[in-house]
Amino acid sequence: MKIKNGFILSRVGDDMVAVATGELSGEFSNLIVLNSVGAFLWEKLSAEGGADAESLASAVLEEYEIDEKTARADISVFLDRLSAAGILES
């Protein structure tokens, strides 16, 4: 899965914010404020080819001090929210 084309991630002050651009800005006019882990996951999902839940979990466990159960649960919630908002594509 990956972030649909047309979303960009930018730093605004101390926050990381994702916004829709181009045609998507008419469909999705919200700002998405992400913490550091959310921005990390967003960048992985925005990369060429995207990422699956397993590779996201591996990357988070390597980058952050967090237990596997919590990481997988948090990633699942994050992906569910992005999917429900129509931001992810297969």
Side-chain angles (χ1 to χ4, degrees), residues 10-17:
S10 304
R11 179 170 296 284
V12 177
D14 292 334
D15 296 321
M16 293 300 289
V17 178

Side-chain angles (χ1 to χ4, degrees), residues 20-82:
T21 61
E23 292 178 18
L24 281 178
S25 63
E27 298 173 29
F28 191 89
S29 59
N30 297 327
L31 292 176
I32 304 164
V33 180
L34 301 166
N35 64 19
S36 62
V37 179
F40 178 80
L41 294 171
W42 185 281
E43 289 175 353
K44 298 290 183 192
L45 290 163
S46 296
E48 185 68 32
D52 59 15
E54 186 63 34
S55 65
L56 291 174
S58 294
V60 166
L61 290 169
E62 186 175 312
E63 186 74 17
Y64 297 94
E65 290 185 26
I66 186 171
D67 66 275
E68 185 173 353
K69 182 178 179 182
T70 302
R72 289 183 184 282
D74 290 352
I75 289 167
S76 179
V77 169
F78 183 75
L79 293 175
D80 287 347
R81 288 183 180 167
L82 292 181

Side-chain angles (χ1 to χ4, degrees), residues 5 52 88:
N5 288 332
D52 59 15
L88 289 179

